[in-house]
Amino acid sequence: LKADLAALGTTLVLRRGPASLPALRQLASETGAGALLFNHLYDPISLVRDDEVKAGLAADGLFVQVCDERERCVWGGGARPPGAAAPLF
């Protein structure tokens, strides 16, 4: 996978941590990410975590889109993060 991604001019970055928000903040900082798109998990604990991640990263200035796992993930309402040329799927 690493070689395939390198051939496309990109990399795969994996992170693991005890808390999602600090790990995602660090990853966004390291990569210069301006957006996060993710699928919800619908158990009560995950919903609380997802809401905290969305609020925290949005407060940091990232574009955050929560996606429905039954459908492809697209920019909601025509809104796109700064510099985004096309929807992500």
Side-chain angles (χ1 to χ4, degrees), residues 68-84:
D68 184 336
E69 75 279 354
R70 295 169 293 176
E71 301 175 18
R72 61 186 178 166
C73 196
V74 297
W75 301 120
R80 294 183 183 166

Side-chain angles (χ1 to χ4, degrees), residues 26-64:
Q26 181 179 358
L27 181 61
S29 176
E30 290 173 10
T31 62
L36 171 70
L37 286 75
F38 67 96
N39 288 346
H40 264 309
L41 294 176
Y42 291 94
D43 61 276
I45 293 172
S46 295
L47 286 171
V48 169
R49 179 207 57 212
D50 290 352
D51 287 345
E52 290 173 355
V53 165
K54 182 177 179 180
L57 293 178
D60 292 346
L62 272 73
F63 178 90
V64 181

